Structure formats: C-alpha cells, structure tokens
Amino acid sequence: MQKPSAVTPDAPAAIRSPLLTQEWLDLAFVHWAVEPAAVAGLMPRGTVPDTHDGLTYVGLVAFRMHRVGWFRLPGVPYLGSFPETNVRLYSVDAHGRRGVVFRSMDASRLIPVVLGRVGFRLPYLWSRMTVRSVGDTVTYTSSRRWPGPRGAHSRITLRTGERIHEPTALEHFLTARWGMHNVFFGGAAYLPNHHPRWPLHRARLLACDEDLVASAGIPATGEGPVSVLYSPGVPVRLGRPALPVSAAPAAP
C-alpha cells in the first residue's frame, strides 16, 4: 500500500492520447461533510473514503457538458453537449491514487446515458434538465426519467462571487481530483483526467431543493453544506482505465 498522493492544484501527468475530450462549463460545487464510516460501504472494492482533517465529503456537482469527443476527433455539437448533475464521493486506492466515486450521474441526453452505462458501467441516468443564467445567478434543475427512482430531482440556485486566487486546502481537496474509481468490465480501475487549474469563485447558495443525494444511498448529514463554489469551466481530457485497483488500503 502506498501513501496517498499529494493534493495538487495541477494535474500530475499529461494525457497525450485521450480516450475522450470534453469541456465542463458553468459548474456548481456543493459539498457536505460526512463521517468516513457512513459511506465506506459505498466505495468500489480496493478503495476507501479519502479524508481531509478526519472527514470525507459528498459532492453535488451540476454543470454543462460540452462537445464530448472520442480520441482526438472534434467534439460532437448536439449529442455531446448537455446538462449533467453528479453525486460523488471521495476515494483513495492502494496505489495512493486519489479520485472520486460517482454514485449517480443525471444527464439530459439518452444516447450518452446509454453509452455511459453500457460502455463504462457508470451510473448515468436520463433526466429532464436545464441550466439557466441571469446576471450573476445560475439555476440548475433536474428531474429523473429513467431508470429511477423516477422523479428524483434537484433545483440549485447560486449567486457567483469573487474569484478565488488562493484556494484553501479543503477547496483544493474537493476540486483537484485527477481521476475516478469505477468498476469497469475488467474489475475496479482508475480512469485519469487532465485539465488546467480550476478557475474558482466563491458562491452563495440561494436555493437547494434536492433528493439526489438520498437517492444515491448516502445517509443524510443533518447539516448544511460546508462549501459552495462556482467555476466557469475547463477543457478536459480523459485517459484510459489504469492499473486494476488492488486490495483496499487502510484509511488515510
């Protein structure tokens, strides 16, 4: 077992031959603190909850996916562009690789949902969704269609604030995640990503009516969010699934 890698604001390695390219735009990051034991049973085999100062986190991340493309081909303008809202946890494996674990991924295009579920075994779900900006406020809505629970929803409205020039250690921990852990067809593995350093802004949460976190099997925290951030977005490259995840490490 290796010591968890350092949390770095820049990607640790370039991805020269991407499996997928895309842009993530108009992102809302809403996070709650949870005890690691409360979510340990939701992690893929070979991973444990990643922690910061003894706590781990559940993230509700709403954004616009833009022009998803395969390999080095141009991004697809219609099918590759759609709103998405993810519920995610934070993970680390025996190789010390820090990442995220997606518990649900609501998206508004059916074909990408089916491809994500079948091709990558990701928890994509088809939903009615919108992202609307008015001045300095952004509203994200989602209502699930398939496969369920039908009607699971979220409505998030935030007001964007000043640019963050020096993110805190927690803000880096929550946003500078350079891969995902997922159970692919060959077993649990790590899929790396690369993008420029996040341009982050403070944000005020004006409204948050959602049951996506509970629908993802995550126990209620009973507390309000500990972090609300906004980013205009970044271009992203996703690499191929890396070494299979081995036996679970001890909690960091």
Side-chain angles (χ1 to χ4, degrees), residues 96-179:
R97 297 173 299 201
R98 292 182 133 122
V100 299
V101 171
F102 292 109
R103 292 293 300 167
S104 65
M105 306 172 77
D106 286 81
S108 66
R109 295 274 187 265
L110 179 58
I111 290 177
V113 165
V114 173
L115 290 175
R117 292 178 69 89
V118 174
F120 290 90
R121 299 188 69 182
L122 289 168
Y124 266 106
L125 304 134
W126 187 33
S127 298
R128 294 182 180 87
M129 308 186 77
T130 64
V131 178
R132 293 192 175 96
S133 299
V134 179
D136 60 355
T137 67
V138 190
T139 298
Y140 311 79
T141 67
S142 174
S143 179
R144 191 168 296 165
R145 290 173 160 178
W146 175 85
R150 189 174 178 84
H153 69 279
S154 68
R155 182 179 180 86
I156 304 164
T157 300
L158 57 78
R159 175 171 290 128
T160 61
E162 72 276 8
R163 175 76 181 267
I164 302 172
H165 297 289
E166 294 185 9
T168 65
L170 176 60
E171 289 165 346
H172 278 314
F173 178 89
L174 296 174
T175 60
R177 313 301 293 192
W178 304 112

Side-chain angles (χ1 to χ4, degrees), residues 27 130 193:
L27 298 99
T130 64
N193 69 66

